[in-house]
PDB file of all heavy atoms in Angstrom:
ATOM      1  N   LEU A 256       1.290  -7.167 -11.721  1.00 91.00           N
ATOM      2  CA  LEU A 256       0.282  -6.258 -12.287  1.00 91.00           C
ATOM      3  C   LEU A 256      -0.737  -5.847 -11.222  1.00 91.00           C
ATOM      4  O   LEU A 256      -1.199  -4.696 -11.208  1.00 91.00           O
ATOM      5  CB  LEU A 256      -0.431  -6.934 -13.456  1.00 91.00           C
ATOM      6  CG  LEU A 256       0.436  -7.229 -14.686  1.00 91.00           C
ATOM      7  CD1 LEU A 256      -0.363  -8.014 -15.726  1.00 91.00           C
ATOM      8  CD2 LEU A 256       0.980  -5.938 -15.288  1.00 91.00           C
ATOM      9  N   LEU A 257      -1.065  -6.773 -10.338  1.00 93.00           N
ATOM     10  CA  LEU A 257      -1.989  -6.450  -9.257  1.00 93.00           C
ATOM     11  C   LEU A 257      -1.384  -5.402  -8.327  1.00 93.00           C
ATOM     12  O   LEU A 257      -2.073  -4.485  -7.864  1.00 93.00           O
ATOM     13  CB  LEU A 257      -2.325  -7.725  -8.476  1.00 93.00           C
ATOM     14  CG  LEU A 257      -3.493  -7.666  -7.494  1.00 93.00           C
ATOM     15  CD1 LEU A 257      -4.781  -7.251  -8.201  1.00 93.00           C
ATOM     16  CD2 LEU A 257      -3.665  -9.018  -6.811  1.00 93.00           C
ATOM     17  N   GLY A 258      -0.091  -5.524  -8.062  1.00 91.00           N
ATOM     18  CA  GLY A 258       0.576  -4.524  -7.229  1.00 91.00           C
ATOM     19  C   GLY A 258       0.568  -3.148  -7.869  1.00 91.00           C
ATOM     20  O   GLY A 258       0.349  -2.133  -7.191  1.00 91.00           O
ATOM     21  N   VAL A 259       0.805  -3.097  -9.188  1.00 89.00           N
ATOM     22  CA  VAL A 259       0.755  -1.818  -9.895  1.00 89.00           C
ATOM     23  C   VAL A 259      -0.643  -1.224  -9.820  1.00 89.00           C
ATOM     24  O   VAL A 259      -0.820  -0.021  -9.578  1.00 89.00           O
ATOM     25  CB  VAL A 259       1.187  -2.009 -11.364  1.00 89.00           C
ATOM     26  CG1 VAL A 259       0.964  -0.722 -12.154  1.00 89.00           C
ATOM     27  CG2 VAL A 259       2.651  -2.416 -11.440  1.00 89.00           C
ATOM     28  N   ALA A 260      -1.659  -2.059 -10.020  1.00 92.00           N
ATOM     29  CA  ALA A 260      -3.040  -1.573  -9.965  1.00 92.00           C
ATOM     30  C   ALA A 260      -3.387  -1.049  -8.576  1.00 92.00           C
ATOM     31  O   ALA A 260      -4.047  -0.011  -8.438  1.00 92.00           O
ATOM     32  CB  ALA A 260      -3.999  -2.699 -10.354  1.00 92.00           C
ATOM     33  N   VAL A 261      -2.929  -1.737  -7.538  1.00 92.00           N
ATOM     34  CA  VAL A 261      -3.195  -1.294  -6.168  1.00 92.00           C
ATOM     35  C   VAL A 261      -2.543   0.053  -5.909  1.00 92.00           C
ATOM     36  O   VAL A 261      -3.148   0.960  -5.311  1.00 92.00           O
ATOM     37  CB  VAL A 261      -2.693  -2.350  -5.157  1.00 92.00           C
ATOM     38  CG1 VAL A 261      -2.634  -1.772  -3.744  1.00 92.00           C
ATOM     39  CG2 VAL A 261      -3.596  -3.577  -5.179  1.00 92.00           C
ATOM     40  N   ASN A 262      -1.313   0.212  -6.368  1.00 90.00           N
ATOM     41  CA  ASN A 262      -0.616   1.473  -6.148  1.00 90.00           C
ATOM     42  C   ASN A 262      -1.287   2.619  -6.894  1.00 90.00           C
ATOM     43  O   ASN A 262      -1.457   3.723  -6.339  1.00 90.00           O
ATOM     44  CB  ASN A 262       0.836   1.342  -6.597  1.00 90.00           C
ATOM     45  CG  ASN A 262       1.656   2.575  -6.285  1.00 90.00           C
ATOM     46  OD1 ASN A 262       1.793   2.976  -5.135  1.00 90.00           O
ATOM     47  ND2 ASN A 262       2.206   3.190  -7.309  1.00 90.00           N
ATOM     48  N   LEU A 263      -1.683   2.376  -8.142  1.00 89.00           N
ATOM     49  CA  LEU A 263      -2.350   3.431  -8.912  1.00 89.00           C
ATOM     50  C   LEU A 263      -3.694   3.802  -8.286  1.00 89.00           C
ATOM     51  O   LEU A 263      -4.057   4.988  -8.216  1.00 89.00           O
ATOM     52  CB  LEU A 263      -2.557   2.967 -10.358  1.00 89.00           C
ATOM     53  CG  LEU A 263      -1.290   2.805 -11.204  1.00 89.00           C
ATOM     54  CD1 LEU A 263      -1.642   2.248 -12.577  1.00 89.00           C
ATOM     55  CD2 LEU A 263      -0.556   4.138 -11.338  1.00 89.00           C
ATOM     56  N   ALA A 264      -4.439   2.795  -7.820  1.00 91.00           N
ATOM     57  CA  ALA A 264      -5.725   3.070  -7.180  1.00 91.00           C
ATOM     58  C   ALA A 264      -5.537   3.858  -5.886  1.00 91.00           C
ATOM     59  O   ALA A 264      -6.293   4.797  -5.602  1.00 91.00           O
ATOM     60  CB  ALA A 264      -6.461   1.761  -6.900  1.00 91.00           C
ATOM     61  N   ALA A 265      -4.523   3.491  -5.102  1.00 88.00           N
ATOM     62  CA  ALA A 265      -4.266   4.198  -3.847  1.00 88.00           C
ATOM     63  C   ALA A 265      -3.890   5.652  -4.110  1.00 88.00           C
ATOM     64  O   ALA A 265      -4.326   6.565  -3.396  1.00 88.00           O
ATOM     65  CB  ALA A 265      -3.170   3.492  -3.062  1.00 88.00           C
ATOM     66  N   ARG A 266      -3.090   5.875  -5.140  1.00 87.00           N
ATOM     67  CA  ARG A 266      -2.708   7.255  -5.472  1.00 87.00           C
ATOM     68  C   ARG A 266      -3.910   8.054  -5.975  1.00 87.00           C
ATOM     69  O   ARG A 266      -4.033   9.247  -5.686  1.00 87.00           O
ATOM     70  CB  ARG A 266      -1.598   7.250  -6.519  1.00 87.00           C
ATOM     71  CG  ARG A 266      -0.246   6.801  -5.973  1.00 87.00           C
ATOM     72  CD  ARG A 266       0.850   6.956  -7.004  1.00 87.00           C
ATOM     73  NE  ARG A 266       2.141   6.594  -6.442  1.00 87.00           N
ATOM     74  CZ  ARG A 266       2.920   7.417  -5.739  1.00 87.00           C
ATOM     75  NH1 ARG A 266       2.515   8.663  -5.526  1.00 87.00           N
ATOM     76  NH2 ARG A 266       4.082   7.027  -5.265  1.00 87.00           N
ATOM     77  N   ALA A 267      -4.791   7.415  -6.723  1.00 87.00           N
ATOM     78  CA  ALA A 267      -5.988   8.105  -7.199  1.00 87.00           C
ATOM     79  C   ALA A 267      -6.882   8.496  -6.028  1.00 87.00           C
ATOM     80  O   ALA A 267      -7.418   9.614  -5.990  1.00 87.00           O
ATOM     81  CB  ALA A 267      -6.753   7.209  -8.173  1.00 87.00           C
TER      82      ALA A 267
END
Side-chain angles (χ1 to χ4, degrees):
L256 294 175
L257 193 58
V259 173
V261 166
N262 185 60
L263 292 176
R266 288 186 177 276

